[in-house]
Amino acid sequence: MTLLRGFLWLLGFQLLGQLAVEWLALPVSPAMAGLLLLLAWLLVTRRLNEGVAAASQALIPLLAMLIMPGVVGVFFVIDEFAGHWTAVMVALVLGTLLSVLTTFWLMRRLMPGDAASLDDSKESRP
Amino acid sequence: MSHWHAVLDGPILAIALTLAAYLGGVRLFERLGRPNWCPAVLIGALLTAAGLWLLGIPYADYRHDVAWLTLLLGPVTVALAVPLYQQRRHILALWKPILGCLPLAAALAACYAVAIAWLLGAPPAVLASLAPKSVTAPLAIGIQEQIGGSLSLMLGGLLITGVVSTLCVTWLARLLDIRDPRLIGFTLGVNGHAIGTVRAFELGPTAGAFASLGMSLTGVFTALFLPLAWRLTGF
């Protein structure tokens, strides 16, 4: 029952998110608005109720399974972009490598304490 | 034969196939020694595609039926607020670097890929499909509606980006001697959206919370920034 109650809370916040998105014409998905609203609610009340904690613990491990059906679509569009695969692959692989490197570099630059104090000379090496 | 058709038509088969393929994917993933280059999601997706092909189910029908299951993506996204709340002290301690880094990191994640593809002569439809590559799928679909491009190519780009980010983060963290789970988690979330976040939760709750944070912030920022940038650059 605790789990169900928590699930109902999550659905409630998703619905609130949907209302917010509709009313304010926000460019985010209802679920993301729900996440932000639930987080704001938790930060204001400073109390995590048992049900919400139980439901989130049960649901978060399902994330990978839930994104899988969208991933399956890739195998069905391979023909559609036959002429551009090299550009697409190089852009994705090289672009991602560069952006991961940039995030690491920026965060290390800006982070105080232990992480930022690590050897700086290594950062200039790509 | 008509009995068989009744089974093929219902959403239960699509859901059962998805669960079976995912569980099979996880099993194989464990057998292979949890390889970084091939996450369980990818193995599961291959198994699903093989199942669809064997059963002769068109992908569009599968997508339609499995929506009964993927509906859960909404409440699961909302549930990510809980690890964020639980890790609030760690996050608040780092709010300055996070907010300083995020806009640039998220904008560059889109720009690098678009610039490289443009240099290699890809047409605008391909560029638009690549731009939201680091955004979590439900938000990326919203962006794609605004800037155009192909939905399937975009989802393919998301998958490849997620896998490549996981690989790059693991490799570069070792190379640059980065062990801070906050930094690794955040980078996984910013660049690798849900796939990176799944990987971060495997590393631990702190990395997972920072990945959720990176994923949500990148998603919201890119959803606001990309349609605007697209209009300004006149693609």
Side-chain angles (χ1 to χ4, degrees), chain A residues 14 27 29 32 35 42 46 56 65 68-69 73-74 77 81 84 91-92 96 99 102-104 107-108 111 114 118, chain B residues 22 44 48 59 75 77 82 85 112-113 123 133 139 150 152 156 161 165 176-178 180 182-183 187 191 224:
Chain A
Q14 194 183 348
S29 73
M32 188 58 83
L35 186 167
L42 291 172
R46 303 194 149 273
S56 90
M65 194 257 303
M68 201 185 73
V74 192
V77 291
F81 292 91
H84 304 293
L92 288 174
T96 302
S99 76
T102 311
T103 314
F104 268 147
M107 279 302 279
R108 280 236 294 216
M111 244 164 103
D114 47 345
L118 288 167
Chain B
Y22 180 68
T48 310
Y59 177 67
T77 308
V82 173
Y85 172 72
Y112 285 138
K133 76 184 186 65
L139 286 179
S150 148
S152 301
T161 304
S165 305
L176 302 172
D177 196 27
I178 294 170
D180 191 330
R182 301 170 299 176
L183 185 51
T187 311
N191 295 286
L224 295 168

Side-chain angles (χ1 to χ4, degrees), chain B residues 16-233:
Chain B
L17 176 67
T18 308
L19 294 185
Y22 180 68
L23 292 173
V26 171
R27 192 84 175 265
L28 265 171
F29 177 70
E30 302 281 353
R31 274 285 169 78
L32 293 169
R34 312 174 73 83
N36 271 323
W37 50 270
C38 189
V41 185
L42 184 57
I43 307 176
L46 275 167
L47 292 176
T48 310
L52 291 177
W53 181 74
L54 283 173
L55 293 167
I57 303 172
Y59 177 67
D61 290 4
Y62 166 73
R63 201 62 213 269
H64 177 262
D65 287 344
V66 85
W68 291 94
L69 182 67
T70 47
L71 204 62
L72 277 176
L73 209 49
V76 175
T77 308
V78 178
L80 289 174
V82 173
L84 287 178
Y85 172 72
Q86 287 166 332
Q87 298 283 331
R88 64 196 179 282
R89 274 184 199 94
H90 289 297
I91 292 168
L92 284 177
L94 289 179
W95 70 272
K96 265 189 204 159
I98 288 170
L99 286 188
C101 165
L102 189 100
L104 198 56
L108 283 174
C111 291
Y112 285 138
V114 171
I116 294 169
W118 180 73
L119 285 173
L120 293 172
V126 171
L127 299 184
S129 312
L130 292 181
K133 76 184 186 65
S134 286
V135 180
T136 178
L139 286 179
I141 292 167
I143 297 176
Q144 188 264 341
E145 280 164 5
Q146 304 237 351
I147 68 173
S150 148
L151 183 64
S152 301
L153 181 61
M154 185 203 76
L155 288 172
L158 290 190
L159 163 75
I160 296 167
T161 304
V163 174
V164 174
S165 305
T166 308
L167 284 176
C168 286
V169 168
T170 311
W171 179 64
L172 285 170
R174 205 178 305 145
L175 191 74
L176 302 172
D177 196 27
I178 294 170
R179 292 197 197 89
D180 191 330
R182 301 170 299 176
L183 185 51
I184 293 178
F186 186 72
T187 311
L188 277 169
V190 167
N191 295 286
H193 55 91
I195 297 178
T197 303
V198 168
R199 170 77 191 139
F201 273 108
E202 286 172 14
L203 298 174
T206 308
F210 272 83
S212 315
L213 178 74
M215 176 177 79
S216 337
L217 290 175
T218 305
V220 172
F221 175 79
T222 314
L224 295 168
F225 144 88
L226 210 53
L228 194 68
W230 220 249
R231 221 166 297 149
L232 291 176
T233 51

Side-chain angles (χ1 to χ4, degrees), chain A:
Chain A
M1 283 305 136
T2 320
L3 190 67
L4 267 188
R5 214 175 302 131
F7 191 63
L8 183 59
W9 273 87
L10 296 177
L11 291 180
F13 271 95
Q14 194 183 348
L15 287 172
L16 277 179
Q18 202 156 7
L19 270 180
V21 167
E22 294 286 334
W23 270 342
L24 306 169
L26 298 175
V28 302
S29 73
M32 188 58 83
L35 186 167
L36 296 173
L37 287 171
L38 176 57
L39 184 60
W41 168 260
L42 291 172
L43 288 173
V44 169
T45 59
R46 303 194 149 273
R47 233 191 94 250
L48 177 59
N49 88 49
E50 210 184 323
V52 174
S56 90
Q57 213 164 21
L59 286 173
I60 290 174
L62 299 182
L63 191 62
M65 194 257 303
L66 294 173
I67 56 175
M68 201 185 73
V71 168
V72 179
V74 192
F75 306 118
F76 296 89
V77 291
I78 287 178
D79 298 336
E80 220 176 296
F81 292 91
H84 304 293
W85 276 106
T86 332
V88 169
M89 286 309 291
V90 173
L92 288 174
V93 174
L94 194 62
T96 302
L97 178 69
L98 286 172
S99 76
V100 167
L101 196 64
T102 311
T103 314
F104 268 147
W105 182 78
L106 275 172
M107 279 302 279
R108 280 236 294 216
R109 262 296 149 89
L110 298 169
M111 244 164 103
D114 47 345
S117 66
L118 288 167
D119 188 9
D120 270 337
S121 65
K122 277 184 183 166
E123 283 184 349
S124 55
R125 205 172 61 193

